[in-house]
Amino acid sequence: MTGLFLLLIISLVHLSQGQAGLTFTQIITDVWHPGRVQDIVLDLRLPRLVIGILAGGALAVSGLLFQTLTNNPLASASTLGINSGAFFAVVLAAVFFPVWLNQFSFLVALIGAVLTTLFVLALAGKELNPVRVALTGMIMTLLFSSLTAALQLLFENETSGLFLWGSGTLIQMDWSNTQFAAPLIMIAIIIALLLGRSLDILALGEDMARSLGQSVGRVKFISWLSGITLASVVVSVVGVIGFVGLIAPHIVRLLGIKGHRPLIVHSFMWGSVILIIADTIARWIQPGQEIPVGAMTALVGGPWLMFLAYKTAKNQKRGEKTLGGTKNPVSGKVIYPILAVISMLIIYVSLSYGGVEWASIQEWFEPIIQSFRFPRVLLAFVIGMMLAISGLILQGVLRNPLADSSILGITSLGGAGAMIFLIAFPSLSIVWMPVGALLGAFLALIVILLSAWRNGLQPILVALMGISLSAFGSAIIQILIVKADLVVASALVWLSGSTYAKTWTEFQLVLVLFILLLPLAIYLTRSLDAIAFGDELATNHGINVSKTRLIALVTSVVFSAIAVSFVGTIGFIGLLAPHMARRIVGFNHLPLLITSSLLGGILLVAADFVGRTILAPNEIPSGLVVALIGAPYLLYLLRKS
């Protein structure tokens, strides 16, 4: 009853919001008579409210089903990557099959959701370990988000309007979406209710269910189909809205509700409450301007996911997986010259070829190449080196193969900090941008340390906390973009990370900062070698582990924050480069630092070159190119761990 009463109250508040100021009295009395109030309420506001109730309820029930099927408290359509897969299919159809999308939007989203689910289940393994499933789904989300952003940038006209929709919006111009979605949602929920007793038995374990005569395969197939259908319907009518399916079932369980049939009913109610409250707050923050409701749910869902991740990961056995590396390292005398030559070659190619024609060395001194391409390429190389060093230090000090500024949320919150500084102080010079990025990045680091320090910085816990922070930071960035009225293309470039239009001033500033920080990173390598064998052994060698760890973390965050403030949220370089380096030069951190930094520079320059030439004159942000490589590699790494 509490949920129903709260839904009624918040619905009335929701109906009163809008550019046309209407009082509660007008809504209650004048809606029954033809005229302005009735037109506004019945044709615009009520459809928005009803689709919000249906969407919130559908997401909550789908989350409940996924949590039961995977035995995973972290499961929902957003954390399993199902929402992102469905939206990618929608954007893909908008570009290449617009007629199909107009006629069969739900089927398009359903196909994307089904394929994503199959991918996640196949990659997660038969045991469906909760942490592995959650990490796999979140990595799939990163991959599909990168692919979707690339399509939106390359086909801006075809995908116009999908940026806001992709972040979730309840805007409705009539009752058509409600008429389409309501029957599908109700049918799926009725099926879920009919399966309630079977789900109760399944929750006891598959072996127990089979011993009681249950057809486990049939129950799971129908339940998966119902959950995926609910998520797909929501994506097809209101876009990608995350975390409702994660939060609502847990609230219901905290209220003491047991049994899947009552859980389904109450989850639907509380899912509706959460989404309508989120939309109400979004409209209150920016009256007359649409803030994505999906960003608002992520602001709440990010911390909630951190709490659930903490509870789940702390009960997991700490893995003994090492950081990896070859037992037959290549000598630095061999590999350093090779990497130096590759670096010079990739820089030469990037300076000489602009996507249309080659330029001779003599033409390098022409204004266009000298003023635009030169600083861009050189800055990309230095930023790549900084990101690689940041990732190497993080992996070494945390002894975590999944550590990287993008995975740990440092990049995302650093980007949010830079955006806040940019919007709050628009008159400030670009020199001050790193200050905002540093504040955001250090906030991410503090949250991770506070949550994971007592558990020995367990790799899985740190990774889950970081991904939660990434979602939170991305939500802040989306809200800031809407409030600042940034155009969609510019917003996507910032979110994706790009080295576009960099100047000599920016390159010189980055180079100075890199030169100042590099000696400290080199000094830390000896301590990282000792820490790699365990804190106790490092202490026996006279190293103050806590002090060294703190200095190393601060150094890594500073490297990452500087990179974010100049090129946006580029990720995965810090993950890829150190892993590649370990397979070449082994475990010692000084050769690792040299090799990783050169590989990082090569990777980012190569990504920038591919992004600006493969579809010239159109550009793909280098951050997206790196993500399209990094996300599959992270899946491979997780599969092996």
Side-chain angles (χ1 to χ4, degrees), residues 532-604:
F533 292 98
D535 292 358
E536 186 176 348
L537 185 61
T539 302
N540 291 337
H541 280 75
I543 294 174
N544 186 329
V545 175
S546 298
K547 180 180 178 181
T548 301
R549 182 169 279 132
L550 181 61
I551 294 173
L553 288 171
V554 169
T555 303
S556 175
V557 168
V558 172
F559 269 117
S560 178
I562 291 170
V564 168
S565 62
F566 284 96
V567 298
T569 54
I570 292 179
F572 293 109
I573 293 287
L575 180 75
L576 292 171
H579 278 281
M580 293 170 64
R582 287 190 189 93
R583 282 155 176 77
I584 299 172
V585 297
F587 304 93
N588 292 331
H589 278 81
L590 182 57
L592 269 176
L593 184 141
I594 298 170
T595 307
S596 296
S597 60
L598 290 172
L599 286 171
I602 292 169
L603 282 171
L604 191 52

Side-chain angles (χ1 to χ4, degrees), residues 52 54 77 96 148 166 193 213-214 301 350 379 599 619 622:
L54 290 171
F96 299 107
T148 301
L193 287 169
Q214 185 181 95
S350 296
L379 183 135
L599 286 171
E619 286 199 19
S622 50

Side-chain angles (χ1 to χ4, degrees), residues 66-76 79-80 119-139 206 220 224 308-309 311-319 402 458-461 463-464 638-639 641:
F66 295 147
Q67 288 167 21
T68 298
L69 290 167
T70 61
N71 190 28
N72 182 1
L74 303 175
S76 70
T79 57
L80 293 179
F119 277 131
V120 170
L121 295 179
L123 291 167
K126 294 182 180 180
E127 295 181 358
L128 291 181
N129 176 275
V131 173
R132 183 179 293 275
V133 171
L135 285 174
T136 304
M138 293 172 188
I139 297 165
E206 291 189 19
K220 292 179 71 174
W224 273 113
L308 294 176
K311 288 183 63 179
T312 303
K314 74 176 183 178
N315 295 322
Q316 298 290 315
K317 182 180 178 181
R318 185 182 181 95
L402 296 176
Q458 186 190 114
I460 292 297
L461 176 57
L464 287 174
L638 184 64
R639 182 69 175 170
S641 298

Side-chain angles (χ1 to χ4, degrees), residues 81-94 101 108-110 112-113 116 144-145 148-149 151-152 159 161-168 232 235-236 238-240:
I82 295 172
N83 281 348
S84 296
F87 183 58
F88 170 68
V90 168
V91 174
L92 189 70
L101 182 62
V108 170
L110 181 63
T116 303
F144 281 122
S145 298
T148 301
L151 287 175
Q152 288 178 282
T159 60
L162 290 181
F163 176 76
L164 184 62
W165 189 57
S167 302
S232 302
V235 170
S236 65
V238 297
V240 179

Side-chain angles (χ1 to χ4, degrees), residues 276-299:
I276 298 303
I277 288 176
D279 195 45
T280 301
I281 295 173
R283 300 175 77 188
W284 173 75
I285 290 175
Q286 191 78 2
Q289 190 174 7
E290 198 67 26
I291 288 179
V293 68
M296 296 304 303
T297 58
L299 284 179

Side-chain angles (χ1 to χ4, degrees), residues 120-197:
V120 170
L121 295 179
L123 291 167
K126 294 182 180 180
E127 295 181 358
L128 291 181
N129 176 275
V131 173
R132 183 179 293 275
V133 171
L135 285 174
T136 304
M138 293 172 188
I139 297 165
M140 292 296 290
T141 298
L142 292 173
L143 177 60
F144 281 122
S145 298
S146 299
L147 290 169
T148 301
L151 287 175
Q152 288 178 282
L153 282 171
L154 293 174
F155 302 95
E156 190 175 353
N157 293 331
E158 291 84 347
T159 60
S160 59
L162 290 181
F163 176 76
L164 184 62
W165 189 57
S167 302
T169 176
L170 300 184
I171 294 176
Q172 302 294 306
M173 303 308 295
D174 53 38
W175 287 93
S176 58
N177 281 337
T178 306
Q179 293 170 349
F180 164 76
L184 291 170
I185 291 173
M186 289 300 105
I187 290 171
I189 289 177
I190 289 170
I191 292 173
L193 287 169
L194 293 174
L195 289 171
R197 294 187 63 183

Side-chain angles (χ1 to χ4, degrees), residues 292-603:
V293 68
M296 296 304 303
T297 58
L299 284 179
V300 179
W304 191 273
L305 180 57
M306 287 182 228
F307 169 70
L308 294 176
Y310 177 80
K311 288 183 63 179
T312 303
K314 74 176 183 178
N315 295 322
Q316 298 290 315
K317 182 180 178 181
R318 185 182 181 95
E320 299 301 325
K321 181 75 175 177
T322 65
L323 292 176
T326 180
K327 295 181 180 179
N328 300 302
V330 179
S331 171
K333 295 179 181 179
V334 176
I335 193 61
Y336 300 156
I338 292 175
L339 291 177
V341 170
I342 295 174
S343 300
M344 288 187 286
L345 283 175
I346 192 66
I347 290 174
Y348 168 77
V349 172
S350 296
L351 291 173
S352 300
Y353 187 64
V356 179
E357 60 181 15
W358 286 85
S360 64
I361 294 179
Q362 289 80 6
E363 293 176 297
W364 285 6
F365 300 98
E366 293 182 358
I368 293 179
I369 295 179
Q370 189 177 29
S371 300
F372 296 99
R373 200 178 299 171
F374 248 107
R376 172 176 183 162
V377 172
L378 296 178
L379 183 135
F381 191 82
V382 176
I383 290 291
M385 295 176 74
M386 297 180 79
L387 290 172
I389 293 173
S390 173
L392 174 68
I393 294 174
L394 276 176
Q395 290 170 23
V397 75
L398 299 178
R399 296 202 298 276
N400 184 350
L402 296 176
D404 170 52
S405 56
S406 58
I407 302 300
L408 301 188
I410 293 171
T411 297
S412 183
L413 276 188
M419 283 288 291
I420 291 172
F421 233 67
L422 178 68
I423 293 170
F425 308 104
S427 60
L428 284 179
S429 167
I430 192 173
V431 175
W432 292 96
M433 281 288 287
V435 175
L438 278 172
L439 293 175
F442 273 112
L443 177 61
L445 177 63
I446 291 169
V447 171
I448 289 173
L449 292 179
L450 289 176
S451 60
W453 191 274
R454 291 182 62 185
N455 290 280
L457 295 173
Q458 186 190 114
I460 292 297
L461 176 57
V462 170
L464 287 174
M465 286 292 175
I467 293 175
S468 307
L469 286 171
S470 292
F472 186 77
S474 297
I476 293 175
I477 291 174
Q478 287 177 337
I479 292 172
L480 291 173
I481 285 171
V482 174
K483 285 187 68 66
D485 292 324
L486 297 178
V487 296
V488 171
S490 299
L492 285 172
V493 168
W494 168 257
L495 290 172
S496 305
S498 175
T499 50
Y500 177 75
K502 299 305 171 185
T503 64
W504 281 109
T505 301
E506 292 171 282
F507 167 69
Q508 290 166 358
L509 181 57
V510 169
L511 183 62
V512 169
L513 293 172
F514 175 69
I515 292 172
L516 291 174
L517 288 170
L518 184 59
L520 180 57
I522 294 173
Y523 171 77
L524 288 168
T525 55
R526 187 175 180 182
S527 299
L528 292 176
D529 286 337
I531 290 175
F533 292 98
D535 292 358
E536 186 176 348
L537 185 61
T539 302
N540 291 337
H541 280 75
I543 294 174
N544 186 329
V545 175
S546 298
K547 180 180 178 181
T548 301
R549 182 169 279 132
L550 181 61
I551 294 173
L553 288 171
V554 169
T555 303
S556 175
V557 168
V558 172
F559 269 117
S560 178
I562 291 170
V564 168
S565 62
F566 284 96
V567 298
T569 54
I570 292 179
F572 293 109
I573 293 287
L575 180 75
L576 292 171
H579 278 281
M580 293 170 64
R582 287 190 189 93
R583 282 155 176 77
I584 299 172
V585 297
F587 304 93
N588 292 331
H589 278 81
L590 182 57
L592 269 176
L593 184 141
I594 298 170
T595 307
S596 296
S597 60
L598 290 172
L599 286 171
I602 292 169
L603 282 171

